[in-house]
Amino acid sequence: GKRPYAGVIIFGFKDDAVHPVLKVGDIITAYAGKSVKDYEAFKAAFKQEENGQATFIRLINGEFVEMHYQWEETGIVGFLELTE
């Protein structure tokens, strides 16, 4: 099925570190059970629950795969809003 254009894209990590789960290009679509349509929605959900579960999609072999991650401090330094 088609997904709406909504979410935030991870575009960088502090000191170019390699995260054990998340990768540059992953798109966070939900956090702590709340839909993430843009960066403001992500910030609001994160503020309410810093260690929530993130739902994200990753492009693997030409297909989007939905994945989950129990959030911990990541060192992420950059998000971009997903737009058309």
Side-chain angles (χ1 to χ4, degrees):
K2 292 192 174 200
R3 293 181 177 269
Y5 289 104
V8 290
I9 301 171
I10 297 170
F11 80 88
F13 294 91
K14 184 178 181 179
D15 299 324
D16 292 326
V18 175
H19 189 273
V21 177
L22 300 171
K23 295 182 179 186
V24 170
D26 287 344
I27 303 167
I28 299 173
T29 58
Y31 183 82
K34 295 178 176 71
S35 179
V36 172
K37 296 185 179 194
D38 55 28
Y39 184 63
E40 291 302 317
F42 175 77
K43 280 193 334 186
F46 185 81
K47 191 173 188 177
Q48 289 182 347
E49 188 172 341
E50 288 188 16
N51 293 314
Q53 185 178 55
T55 300
F56 62 98
I57 55 177
R58 179 178 292 162
L59 188 62
I60 300 174
N61 296 325
E63 294 187 28
F64 284 112
V65 177
E66 186 173 275
M67 305 172 97
H68 304 278
Y69 170 64
Q70 185 61 42
W71 202 269
E72 296 174 10
E73 176 54 42
T74 62
I76 293 174
V77 296
F79 292 106
L80 291 173
E81 291 185 17
L82 182 63
T83 59
E84 292 185 50

